[in-house]
């Protein structure tokens, strides 16, 4: 009986699995973004077409009511949020693809890694600046999904801090006024 020929080891390394996982995630995010963008464009064109048909011969008061109805519908179904989620998932897809690319070229050559990582870091620095600039200057025209994420985290952090600060300041005021019993009742 002959021994079967040995097959090469087909198990992937942890790095290969990570790279493939990142690229698969990037593909899923980018295809999902494309689908959401197509749906968003379709929805907005339907709304625009309906409004154009209705408002073609309407007087200004009726057009104002149509615009109000449209704005309320857009807010009710969060079309603005869908647009930002779509854009954010596309940005995340680019980021995950780039991280996977850097990890991949890292296995090939140091020079190739530098030739990919240095321009990538420059783009990341510009993106970070474009995301942070509107927080410092309200007239800045650049806003990214990262800008809104930073604002959301900041608001949550502020809300979490404001409650203890408010009660702390209130307790200090009661102590200064000599109402220590009120402080104990407030804490219980």
């Amino acid at each position: 009986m002959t021994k079967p020929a040995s097959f090469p080891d087909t198990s992937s390394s942890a790095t290969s699995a990570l790279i493939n996982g990142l690229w698969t995630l990037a593909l899923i995010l980018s295809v999902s973004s494309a689908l959401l963008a197509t749906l968003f464009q379709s929805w907005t064109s339907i709304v625009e077409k309906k409004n154009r048909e209705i408002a073609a011969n309407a007087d200004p008061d009726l057009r104002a009511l149509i615009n109000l109805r449209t704005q309320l519908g857009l807010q009710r179904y969060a079309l603005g949020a869908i647009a930002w989620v779509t854009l954010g998932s596309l940005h995340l897809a680019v980021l995950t693809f780039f991280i996977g690319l850097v990890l991949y070229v890292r296995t090939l050559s140091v020079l190739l890694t530098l030739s990919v990582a240095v321009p990538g870091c420059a783009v990341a620095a510009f993106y970070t600046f474009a995301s942070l600039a509107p927080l410092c200057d309200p007239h800045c025209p650049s806003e990214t999904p990262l800008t809104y994420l930073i604002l959301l985290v900041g608001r949550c952090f502020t809300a979490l801090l404001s409650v203890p600060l408010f009660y702390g300041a209130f307790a200090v005021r009661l102590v200064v006024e000599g109402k220590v019993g009120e402080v104990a009742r407030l804490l219980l």
Side-chain angles (χ1 to χ4, degrees):
M1 190 171 218
T2 61
K3 252 182 156 180
S6 64
F7 293 101
D9 185 22
T10 57
S11 64
S12 62
S13 70
T15 305
S16 296
L18 179 62
I19 291 167
N20 287 330
L22 287 171
W23 283 350
T24 303
L25 178 62
L27 178 64
I28 290 169
L29 287 171
S30 61
V31 170
S32 299
S33 296
L35 176 64
L36 280 173
T38 304
L39 287 172
F40 182 80
Q41 184 180 17
S42 172
W43 294 333
T44 55
S45 67
I46 289 169
V47 168
E48 186 179 321
K49 181 181 177 189
K50 282 182 183 178
N51 287 347
R52 236 182 297 126
E53 289 171 358
I54 294 171
N57 297 319
D59 65 336
D61 292 336
L62 182 58
R63 275 187 288 205
L65 289 174
I66 291 168
N67 286 337
L68 178 62
R69 182 195 70 181
T70 301
Q71 288 300 316
L72 290 175
L74 294 174
Q75 288 176 1
R76 181 179 187 180
Y77 292 101
L79 246 49
I82 291 172
W84 280 106
V85 166
T86 302
L87 189 59
S89 64
L90 185 61
H91 289 194
L92 189 59
V94 171
L95 177 67
T96 55
F97 179 80
F98 181 74
I99 291 170
L101 181 64
V102 170
L103 289 174
Y104 174 70
V105 297
R106 197 180 109 218
T107 63
L108 302 176
S109 144
V110 173
L111 184 62
L112 189 58
T113 303
L114 288 175
S115 67
V116 170
V118 169
C121 288
V123 169
F126 177 77
Y127 183 82
T128 304
F129 173 76
S131 299
L132 295 176
L135 301 175
C136 301
D137 182 11
H139 301 292
C140 181
S142 69
E143 289 179 345
T144 68
L146 182 61
T147 305
Y148 289 103
L149 184 62
I150 292 168
L151 281 172
L152 180 66
V153 169
R155 286 181 182 150
C156 289
F157 185 70
T158 303
L160 288 174
L161 281 181
S162 64
V163 172
L165 289 176
F166 171 76
Y167 280 113
F170 188 65
V172 167
R173 187 179 122 219
L174 290 175
V175 169
V176 168
E177 292 176 356
K179 299 178 183 177
V180 179
E182 294 290 323
V183 174
R185 192 174 58 116
L186 178 69
L187 296 175
L188 298 176

